[in-house]
Amino acid sequence: MGAAEQDAERKFLFLLASAREGGNTEELARRAAEGLPEGAAQEWLRLKELPLPPFEDNRHTGTGQYPEPGGNARLLLDATLAASDLVIASPLYWYSVSTSAKLYLEHWSAWMRVPGLDFRARMAGKTMWAVTVLASEDRSKADPLVGTLRNCAEFLGMRWGGTLLGNGSAPGQVLTDSVALADAVTFFAGRFPAAVLPVESRQGPAYGGMSPVSA
């Protein structure tokens, strides 16, 4: 399969995790999306419009299994599994991801334990990307956010696409960051091989008892 055919099979899921609509991180993500490979599909979901219940740690209760999710959790789960590329667009809030992004990631622990779902195996081979805007000129302040997302990706055997960083605080301020806007143009442009779309029978790393969630 050639590069064009691979790109046509890719689907990018953009999860907007800001506490406000139309913020700097969303603006930067939409600029980057203009450079998606030709033929790639895209879906945009705003996490604050899809609130999730608090994650309850039942891993050591009974069988440790979780029921099939419903409501917004089901919608987010289905969208996540249907994507080949997952883009977390979260502003830097207190040096990490936003509350809605963190809660979404916490629900991964439940989804890994839904009988028959094979969440971890089906996530392996996808690509995760990060888009964030921070108020500080010191880009190293975003290292904890990047580390959170990259470690989550690695835990599930996902590829790491990279991080698009911008600077801004007031609405629209990122549009004055010429470096970020230039980086956005080529952020998704053919730097990494196409991720593998989920297949029902696809095999991946088995869940071996380890977890990024501790008691």
Side-chain angles (χ1 to χ4, degrees):
M1 182 182 296
E5 289 82 3
Q6 289 179 327
D7 288 341
E9 291 191 359
R10 296 175 76 178
K11 181 176 182 179
F12 286 75
L13 174 62
F14 289 81
L15 293 179
L16 303 176
S18 176
R20 71 184 181 202
E21 188 171 345
N24 286 298
T25 299
E26 179 179 345
E27 180 67 43
L28 190 58
R30 292 192 183 278
R31 289 296 183 102
E34 294 175 3
L36 284 175
E38 185 176 356
Q42 54 184 292
E43 181 178 8
W44 296 74
L45 295 176
R46 196 178 305 279
L47 290 180
K48 76 169 188 175
E49 296 177 353
L50 299 167
L52 294 171
F55 169 70
E56 295 187 11
D57 188 0
N58 298 327
R59 294 171 301 139
H60 305 293
T61 302
T63 64
Q65 296 178 336
Y66 284 75
E68 287 276 349
N72 292 334
R74 182 82 238 183
L75 189 155
L76 287 168
L77 169 62
D78 289 344
T80 300
L81 291 177
S84 62
D85 295 75
L86 179 62
V87 186
I88 306 292
S90 171
L92 185 70
Y93 286 167
W94 286 101
Y95 309 103
S96 189
V97 294
S98 67
T99 300
S100 60
K102 181 63 166 60
L103 183 56
Y104 162 75
L105 293 172
E106 288 178 359
H107 275 263
W108 284 12
S109 292
W111 299 346
M112 284 195 298
R113 296 167 176 83
V114 175
L117 185 60
D118 297 326
F119 179 76
R120 189 178 184 188
R122 294 167 69 183
M123 292 295 287
K126 299 178 186 291
T127 302
M128 182 186 285
W129 310 78
V131 180
T132 188
V133 173
L134 60 159
S136 173
E137 295 286 351
D138 181 359
R139 294 192 167 202
S140 70
K141 299 297 185 184
D143 288 351
L145 177 149
V146 176
T148 292
L149 296 178
R150 185 164 190 166
N151 286 332
C152 288
E154 290 178 355
F155 182 77
L156 294 189
M158 301 174 70
R159 299 187 185 101
W160 178 247
T163 308
L164 177 59
L165 284 171
N167 181 262
S169 180
Q173 193 173 2
V174 72
L175 298 178
T176 66
D177 185 342
S178 59
V179 174
L181 296 181
D183 289 344
V185 172
T186 58
F187 185 55
F188 294 119
R191 298 187 301 154
F192 299 93
V196 181
L197 281 169
V199 178
E200 198 63 33
S201 60
R202 188 172 175 273
Q203 297 298 311
Y207 176 69
M210 296 184 300
S211 173
V213 177
S214 60

